[in-house]
Amino acid sequence: MNDKSLSQRSDPRLLQDYYQLTKPRVVALLLLTAWVGMLLAEPSQASLDEMVLGLAGIGLLAAAAAAMNHTLDRGIDAQMRRTRWRPVAMGRIGPKSAMAFALWLALLGFVLLYWGVNPLTAWLTLASLFGYAVVYTLLLKRATPQNIVIGGLAGAMPPLLGWTSITGQLSAEPWLLVMIVFAWTPPHFWSLAIHRRDEYAGANIPMLPVTHGIEFTKTAILFYLLILSLICLLPYLIGMSGLLYLIGSLMLNLLFLLACMAIEVFGSARSGDAHLPLLHLPPDAAVWPADPGSSLAMATVIRSGGCVWGMLCRGEDGNADPCNKAGPGASLVVCQSLTMMWRGTV
């Protein structure tokens, strides 16, 4: 079936297929971290119009990168149980149609950022798209087990993009936020790769559990969580955040370090264990804007973090992820606990 027939067919799922091309759950998490960057940049000066335009442009370019990934990885996706349902992999959307859709999204997002926000944010976001769709998807993913470490920089950029969309300039603080997400990405992705090791091996993708084994990967996850714990101290040390952030960050990092050490020592590989790094980012993002002047930002991100966490506890197809037994209910407990902590402190 060619692209023309695919685009002309009458299928009530066609719009849903194009929607799935954008990886909406992933984009939602990227926009959450971009929003945190906006709120931390100039909370008293950021207007609603600026924030909406910035998030819309960043979201469109992120969606374009996702659609390109669907197109370029269609051969790999068809071989893996987690991704074989994707529209391009299944042939419901042709690769030319998917790439055209991605390019239109990218053009619209770039124009919106360039003329509606500022040129710096537009070019940085476009560079992030190139880093994910070309450098990671086409080159690194197929070439080295360090693919997610190097390529993770593109996915760590949204806090910086959110910051520059408000300020129009670069500074040290947003790069610190990038470092936090950058250090979180490898343990997050490797924990997933452990459970999908055989699928990656069958698709000839050199993920770390495939090339170095599961035990080595567990050690690498622990190592990166140690690095992440140290990086998370920096916002407090440079005066970017207050005592509430420090306490929340220390508690969360200690929780996950102990859990990962238990997995490393006892060799546990039960379902859900390797998903522990999934739970780190939204709660930690919740305590970034911990100064009293940013109390609104903190409350909003706490609530949003719980929602995003709940989405991450489900598969990309919207069904419950069999690798995660915690479920969205666990996110509500942590989200409510953090909300109570915020109400009692700020």
Side-chain angles (χ1 to χ4, degrees):
M1 185 179 293
N2 58 37
D3 283 2
K4 185 176 181 180
S5 61
L6 280 166
S7 64
Q8 291 179 346
R9 65 188 169 96
S10 176
D11 186 344
R13 291 192 58 189
L14 186 58
L15 290 179
Q16 178 67 17
D17 285 341
Y18 275 101
Y19 175 69
Q20 291 300 328
L21 282 183
T22 65
K23 297 187 180 181
R25 301 183 191 280
V26 176
V27 172
L29 181 56
L30 296 177
L31 291 180
L32 171 66
T33 57
W35 194 14
V36 171
M38 291 177 176
L39 295 171
L40 285 174
E42 295 288 345
S44 61
Q45 299 180 18
S47 68
L48 181 60
D49 291 345
E50 288 178 319
M51 294 176 68
V52 170
L53 285 175
L55 289 173
I58 294 168
L60 284 169
L61 279 160
M68 290 180 183
N69 175 264
H70 272 263
T71 306
L72 298 171
D73 268 356
R74 62 188 183 277
I76 296 173
D77 289 344
Q79 301 178 57
M80 300 186 64
R81 184 171 63 87
R82 183 178 66 90
T83 56
R84 63 190 178 193
W85 60 270
R86 289 176 173 176
V88 182
M90 293 191 70
R92 297 197 304 269
I93 296 177
K96 291 182 180 179
S97 297
M99 185 59 73
F101 175 66
L103 292 175
W104 276 111
L105 288 177
L107 178 61
L108 182 58
F110 182 81
V111 169
L112 186 61
L113 288 176
Y114 193 93
W115 277 282
V117 181
N118 57 67
L120 175 62
T121 304
W123 286 114
L124 286 174
T125 311
L126 186 64
S128 299
L129 178 151
F130 180 84
Y132 176 71
V134 178
V135 177
Y136 169 70
T137 301
L138 275 182
L139 302 176
L140 295 175
K141 186 174 183 178
R142 295 160 169 79
T144 171
Q146 294 300 309
N147 45 23
I148 197 62
V149 177
I150 306 169
L153 180 60
M157 289 294 285
L160 176 69
L161 302 176
W163 184 287
T164 61
S165 69
I166 301 300
T167 65
Q169 59 186 8
L170 291 170
S171 57
E173 291 90 343
W175 285 110
L176 180 54
L177 302 181
V178 170
M179 288 173 60
I180 292 175
V181 184
F182 180 73
W184 167 84
T185 302
H188 154 70
F189 206 93
W190 286 334
S191 66
L192 293 172
I194 286 175
H195 284 283
R196 305 293 182 183
R197 179 180 179 274
D198 293 340
E199 294 182 42
Y200 280 114
N204 199 29
I205 300 299
M207 298 304 298
L208 194 65
V210 175
T211 60
H212 290 69
I214 291 177
E215 293 305 317
F216 181 90
T217 304
K218 289 180 183 178
T219 304
I221 289 173
L222 179 60
F223 175 72
Y224 270 86
L225 285 179
L226 287 170
I227 293 176
L228 176 62
S229 300
L230 295 176
I231 294 175
C232 285
L233 296 176
L234 295 179
Y236 175 77
L237 295 177
I238 68 172
M240 187 179 176
S241 297
L243 184 61
L244 177 59
Y245 166 84
L246 179 64
I247 295 172
S249 180
L250 286 173
M251 290 175 59
L252 289 167
N253 280 300
L254 180 61
L255 170 66
F256 291 109
L257 281 172
L258 290 175
C260 287
M261 287 176 67
I263 294 172
E264 176 67 21
V265 171
F266 297 108
S268 174
R270 296 188 309 272
S271 295
D273 286 344
H275 276 247
L276 287 170
L278 277 172
L279 313 182
H280 185 282
L281 182 60
D284 202 42
V287 291
W288 279 342
D291 293 331
S294 301
S295 59
L296 176 61
M298 182 174 178
T300 304
V301 174
I302 285 174
R303 301 178 197 280
S304 301
C307 296
V308 174
W309 180 2
M311 288 189 291
L312 285 172
C313 288
R314 306 183 70 82
E316 284 189 330
D317 56 357
N319 298 320
D321 190 335
C323 293
N324 194 338
K325 303 301 182 183
S331 68
L332 181 61
V333 176
V334 174
C335 185
Q336 290 296 329
S337 300
L338 288 172
T339 303
M340 292 171 62
M341 180 178 68
W342 169 76
R343 286 177 177 171
T345 308
V346 179

